Amino acid sequence: MAEAAGGREQPAAGRAPPDAAHRAEEEPEPPSLDAPAAAAGRRRGRRSGVSAVGAAERFPGGSLGPAAAPDTDACLLEAAKATPRRSSIIKDPSNQKCGRKKTVSFSSMPSEKKISSASDCISFMQAGCELKKVRPNSRIYNRFFTLDPDLQALRWEPSKKDLEKAKLDISAIKEIRLGKNTETFRNNGLADQISEDCALSVIHGENYESLDLVANSADVANIWVSGLRYLVSRSKQPLDLMESSHNTPRFAWLKTVFEAADVDGNGIMLEDTSVELIKKLNPTLKESKIRLKFKEIQKSKEKLTTRVTKEEFCEAFSELCTRPEVYFLLVQISKNKEYLDANDLMLFLEAEQGVTHITEEMCLDIIRRYELSQEGRLKGFLAIDGFTQYLLSPECDIFDPEHKKIVQDMTQPLSHYYINASHNTYLIEDQLRGPADINGYVRALKMSCRSIELDVCDGPDNEPIICNRNNMTSPLAFRNVIEVINKLAFFASEYPLILCLGNHCSVQQQKVMVQHMKRIFGNKLYTEAPLSSEVYLPSPEKLKMKIIVKGKKLPCDQDILEGEVTDEDEEAEISRRLSEDFSREPKLIWLCRELSDLVSLCKSVQYKDFETSMKAQNYWEMCSFSEAEASRIANEYPEDFVNYNKKFLSRVYPSAMRIDSSNLNPQDFWNCGCQIVAMNYQTPGPMMDLHTGWFLQNGGCGYVLRPSVMRDEVSYFSANTKGIVPGVSPQVLHVKIISGQNFPKPKGACAKGDVIDPYVCIEIHGIPADCTEQRTKTVQQNSDNPIFDESFEFQINLPELAMIRFVVLDDDYIGDEFIGQYTIPLECLQPGYRHIPLRSFVGDIMEHVTLFVHIAITNRSGGGKAQKRSLSVRIGKKAREYTMLRNTGLKTIDDIFKLAVHPLREATDMRENMQNAMVSVKELCGLPPIASLKQCILTLSSRLVSSDNAPSVTLCMKDAFPYLEPLGTMPDVQKKVLAAYDLMIQESRVLIETADITHDKIVQCQKAGMEFHEELHNLGTKEGLKGRKLSKAIESFAWNITVLKGQGDLLKNAKNEALENMKQIQLACLSCGLSKTGSGHADAKSKRCLEAIQEKDTGDENGRL
C-alpha cells in the first residue's frame, strides 16, 4: 500500500507532523463538519460509468451529483436558523441539551429504493460518493471515494500523488468498524461534532493502521461498512454479484411462493394476483404502494402489460419489504452472509441481546418458528424476512418479560410502596359537569388501580348514591357500585384495594352503606384493629385479597354511637376557593359508629406539620394533601417529606382548580415518596402516560416498591439533589433511534394531506437532576419506514425512579402533531435491538406501529461518575470523585466515621481501576464502551489467528483466572492488546480477592455508627447542639450511614460483576477455540477452573451483607 491511508490504530505517544509532500497532497479545508463541499471543480473527469448512472437513479437524494450540494447547504442553513419549539413535558430548561434544533434529513436513501442485497451496496460504492477523511492532527478533508470496477481496491481523490498510490487494496483490509472506535477519532479535537452513527474506520496493514471516514448520513456509512465487509469476507473467492443476488435463500423462497401461486405454470401472473400475494406476505403494505412499484419496474423495462414475471415479483417484494437497517444488522452479525445460522443467532442473543443460558437448540427453535421458507426451517437458517419477523415479535419487545411477573419484595410495610390510585373514579368527563358512570370503576379496576374513590350522598328511598354533586342528573346506586367493585376488585391484582370514602350521607344512610359493604364484601373487608405494639403498616402480601376502607373514625376511647368529625370534602374546597370566604374552617359532619368501625388501617387525619406528625401520628393514620399544598411542602421540606413517607401513607389529589380533569405530574410527588397520587383516569395525555407506564412494572399489580434509599429507617435522600445520590451508582443510558414503522397520519391533521414528517423525542423523567429530553432529526415525507439512525446518551443518577418516554411527532410549523408514544421504567428496559410498540393518545396499542431502537446501559454496578462517550468513561485517579462523608459535629460519632474514609477510597479505586481496564481493552479492540467482554473476545480471536487458522494465543487458567499466553512471536499491536487484557484480569483479581476485607471494614463502621442512632438527640444536647444545628447533625449522620451502606453494596456488586466477567471470558475463549492445546487434559482443567469460579461466586454470596 503506497499511501498511508490514515493514523495507526495504536500510535506512539508523540506523533510527528505529516511531511511536506503529504501536506501538499492533503490541502486542509476549514475544520468544520458543516463546511460546504464545493467540490464541483474537483470532480471533473471523475469516472461515471454504468454503475454510477445506476446508483444516481437509485439514490437521487445522495451526494452523487455536485449540482445538488449548494441547494443542500442552503437548506441546511435555513434549517439551522429555525427556532425549536418545545414538544414534550419537561419544564426545566437547565437540563436541556443545547444546540438541538429542528433539522431536516437530507438522507441519501430515498424511500423509492432501498438497499436489499450486497450487490446494491457494491453498486453504490462503485458509483462513489463524498466522505470526510479524518486525520489525527484534527484536520478533516473532503474526498471522493470509489470502489474499482474489478472490486479489488478503494480509491479517493483529489490527490497530487499518482492515482495508483491514492488507493487501498481490499486484500490489505483487516476489519471495518462502524462508529468512533479508533485512536484517531478519540483524539481528534472535532470528535464531539462527529456523529457516532456516520463514522467508520477501515483497519488495514500488519500494523493495523486506520483510514477514518465520516459519511454524510448514517445510511451511507452503513452501505460502505456492509459493502466492504462483504468484499473482505469474500476476497479469496471470485465474485459474481448478479449470480449471488439470485442465489440467496430469500430469492429461492420467493420463487417457490410465486410458483405455488402460478396455477397455470406459465411463469407469469396477473398484477392483481401479485398484489394480493405480496399483501398476504406483508399485511402492513398499502395496495397503492405495491401497484406503484410494479408500474415502476414495468416502466423501466418499457413494458405495457399488466402481467408480472417471476423476476419482477421477486424484485418488487425485495424493494418493498426489505428494511435496510435490518439488512445491515443481519449482514453484520452473520459475518457477511445473507442469512443467520444457529451459531450466528446464538452469538447475537448472547452478545447483543443480553440473553443468558442460550443453547443451539433454542436458536433452532427460534428459526423454526420465524423462518418463512421450508428450506430454511429444515436446514436451520434465518433469512432476512424471518429475521425481520423475529425482531418484530414479542420476544424482542423492549419491555423485560421478567417484570410482567411479581419481581419485587411484597413483604415490606404498605407505606414502602407506590400505589396505583384514581381520583373521582366515578367520573368519565370533567369535574364540574361530568356525570357519574359505572364504567369509571370498571376501567380503573381493570388497569390494576388499587385506590379508588367513592363520593356518597343521600339518595331516594333510603338508598345512598354515588354522584358528582355538581351534576346530579345521573346518580349511581351505591349498592350497584359496590357489587361491581366486589366483582372486579382482584381481577387484575390480588393485592389490597383501598376505598377512599367521601362520606356526605346522613347517619341513617351511613348505616345502609355499612350493611351493603358487609353483605357484599363479606370477609374481604379488613376491619382488624391495628396493633399498638407495631410501628409500621402490614405488608401487601399480608393484606392480599383484602379491601381497606379509608375514612374518618370516631375516637376509640369514647363510648358513643355517633359523633362529629371534620369533612374531607374536595368539592367544598372548590366552593371555598371560588368564594371570598376561603379562609373559613372545614365544616363538621356526623359519623355513625358502624361506619367508623369499618375504618382500620387508613384513618384520615389533618396534616399540621412534620414535627407534630412525627411525634403524635399513629402509623395507621394518613393525611391527604391537595396538589398545591404537597407542591409547597415538596419544595420547602423535601428531605422531611421523604422521611415522613417512610412510615405514613400520603395521598395527593389534583388541584381543585383542575375543573377540566387535567392531571398533575405524578413524578413530582413520587420523588418525595408519596404513595397515593390520585390521577384522573378519564383524561389521557403525557401525565397519564407516565402513570400508566410506571405501574406496568412488578407484574402490573398496582404496587411498586420504592428505592431503598427512600425506605431505610436511617438514610438520607432529597429529591432536589443536583448530582449523584449518595450510595447509588449512576448509570449511562445509551439509546439509538434507528427507524420507525407504519406511522399513521395524526388524527385531525389535514394541512399536508397524507404526508407526514416524523421525528422522535426522547424524554427522561425522574428526580430533577435526571430530567432531560433530546430529539432526532426530522425525516421528510416518510411514514412507512423513516430511518433516523441517531444515538443519544443520558446520565441517570437514580435509576430506580427513572422513566423513559418515546414520543413520535409530525413536524409541522403550524404545530407539531402527536403520532404515538411509549413510556417505560428504566428498570424494565431490555438491552439490545428492540421494537417499541407505540400507543395512541388515549393509550391503546397501535397495530404494526413501532420504533426500532438499540438500548444499552453501562456502569450498572460499577462506580464513578459516567463521562462523555468521547472520554470512554475512563476516570484518572487524580480526577476521580470520591463520595465524601460529612462532619456531624458530634466527636464520638465523627471519630467512628473517620475510620471509614480509607476503606471507602479503596473501594472506589478498586471499582474504577477495573472499569478503566475494561474500557482500555474495549478501545484497543475497536469497540465502544457499551460492548460486552464476550464481544471483545470474539473480536480478539479473529486477530489472534495465524495464516493457517491456528490461534497465536492460548487460554491459561492461573488460580482460576483466565490469562492469555502467546504461542510465539507477536506483532507490537497484538502485544499491546494482550498487555491491556492482562491488566484487566489483574485489576479484576485484585477486586475479587480484596473486596471482602474492604467491605467488612465499611460494614463495621456502619454498624458502629448505627449503635448511636437512638442516642443522637442526647449526644447533640451534651455537645450544645440545638434547633437547626441539631437537625443538621442528624441529617449528616443519615447521609454518612447512606453512603456507607451504598458504597458497601456497590463494592459487593462490583465483585459479583468481576466474577461473572471471568466466567464469560473463559466461556468465550472456549467457544472461540483459544483453549485448544491438543490435549483433553487442558480442557478438563479449564472446566474445573470454571467450576471453581462458580463456587467462589456462590460461596461469597452466603452470609454476606
Side-chain angles (χ1 to χ4, degrees), residues 913-984:
N913 291 343
M914 184 185 74
Q915 292 286 335
N916 291 345
M918 288 171 59
V919 169
S920 293
V921 172
K922 292 175 184 178
E923 287 181 349
L924 292 175
C925 289
L927 296 172
I930 63 174
S932 67
L933 286 179
K934 179 147 195 169
Q935 289 170 308
C936 289
I937 297 300
L938 293 175
T939 303
L940 272 179
S941 65
S942 63
R943 293 190 193 177
L944 301 174
V945 173
S946 60
S947 56
D948 58 352
N949 286 330
S952 57
V953 299
T954 184
L955 176 68
C956 179
M957 300 301 297
K958 298 178 181 177
D959 301 324
F961 289 94
Y963 289 89
L964 293 177
E965 288 193 351
L967 295 176
T969 57
M970 301 182 68
D972 290 342
V973 172
Q974 294 184 4
K975 287 180 180 177
K976 186 171 183 179
V977 177
L978 281 184
Y981 175 87
D982 285 343
L983 179 61
M984 179 185 69

Side-chain angles (χ1 to χ4, degrees), residues 87 190 208 226 327 652 718 775 819 868 971:
S87 58
L190 297 173
Y208 282 72
S226 298
Y327 172 77
V652 179
S718 171
R775 53 152 295 174
I819 294 174
K868 290 183 179 178

Side-chain angles (χ1 to χ4, degrees), residues 255-479:
K255 284 195 295 185
T256 61
V257 170
F258 184 90
E259 290 164 359
D262 179 18
V263 291
D264 297 330
N266 297 326
I268 59 173
M269 67 172 63
L270 291 173
E271 182 181 299
D272 289 346
T273 308
S274 299
V275 170
E276 289 177 10
L277 187 54
I278 290 180
K279 194 89 173 69
K280 181 180 178 182
L281 295 173
N282 189 341
T284 65
L285 284 176
K286 298 174 184 174
E287 182 178 328
S288 58
K289 189 172 182 179
I290 302 173
R291 293 189 182 279
L292 181 61
K293 179 55 65 178
F294 278 127
K295 285 182 172 58
E296 288 176 3
I297 292 172
Q298 290 163 356
K299 183 180 179 182
S300 68
K301 297 180 179 180
E302 299 182 349
K303 287 177 58 178
L304 298 176
T305 179
T306 58
R307 294 182 180 271
V308 176
T309 67
K310 186 187 302 180
E311 289 72 20
E312 289 167 349
F313 173 80
C314 295
E315 182 181 352
F317 181 89
S318 295
E319 292 195 14
L320 288 168
C321 300
T322 301
R323 287 172 47 188
E325 74 279 19
V326 176
Y327 172 77
F328 292 137
L329 176 61
L330 179 137
V331 171
Q332 173 190 334
I333 61 182
S334 67
K335 302 179 183 65
N336 311 299
K337 302 189 296 289
E338 304 248 331
Y339 61 88
L340 300 176
D341 58 30
N343 287 331
D344 296 329
L345 187 56
M346 187 185 302
L347 289 175
F348 171 69
L349 294 175
E350 288 180 341
E352 278 292 354
Q353 304 295 87
V355 181
T356 56
H357 310 302
I358 194 77
T359 64
E360 185 177 358
E361 182 54 41
M362 292 166 66
C363 294
L364 288 172
D365 179 62
I366 290 173
I367 291 171
R368 285 190 288 267
R369 286 186 287 120
Y370 293 102
E371 173 54 30
L372 300 180
S373 70
Q374 185 177 3
E375 181 189 11
R377 292 193 294 270
L378 291 174
K379 294 183 177 179
F381 64 75
L382 198 61
I384 177 68
D385 300 291
F387 185 51
T388 304
Q389 292 296 317
Y390 172 64
L391 289 175
L392 282 165
S393 72
E395 293 182 55
C396 290
D397 192 88
I398 192 171
F399 193 93
D400 187 345
E402 283 298 308
H403 287 272
K404 293 181 179 179
K405 302 177 290 187
I406 306 295
V407 293
Q408 296 174 351
D409 177 11
M410 301 303 290
T411 63
Q412 300 271 334
L414 205 62
S415 59
H416 288 183
Y417 297 84
Y418 297 113
I419 302 174
N420 191 342
S422 162
H423 175 246
N424 286 355
T425 314
Y426 51 87
L427 291 181
I428 59 171
E429 294 179 24
D430 65 60
Q431 304 293 311
L432 284 182
R433 296 176 301 277
D437 194 307
I438 196 71
N439 289 316
Y441 291 98
V442 173
R443 174 183 54 201
L445 291 170
K446 286 188 174 181
M447 291 177 67
S448 298
C449 184
R450 298 290 83 194
S451 172
I452 57 177
E453 297 184 11
L454 302 91
D455 280 335
V456 193
C457 302
D458 282 349
D461 302 324
N462 200 34
E463 280 292 335
I465 57 172
I466 292 177
C467 64
N468 181 351
R469 285 179 298 138
N470 297 303
N471 180 1
M472 304 286 287
T473 57
S474 58
L476 302 172
F478 177 77
R479 179 183 65 249

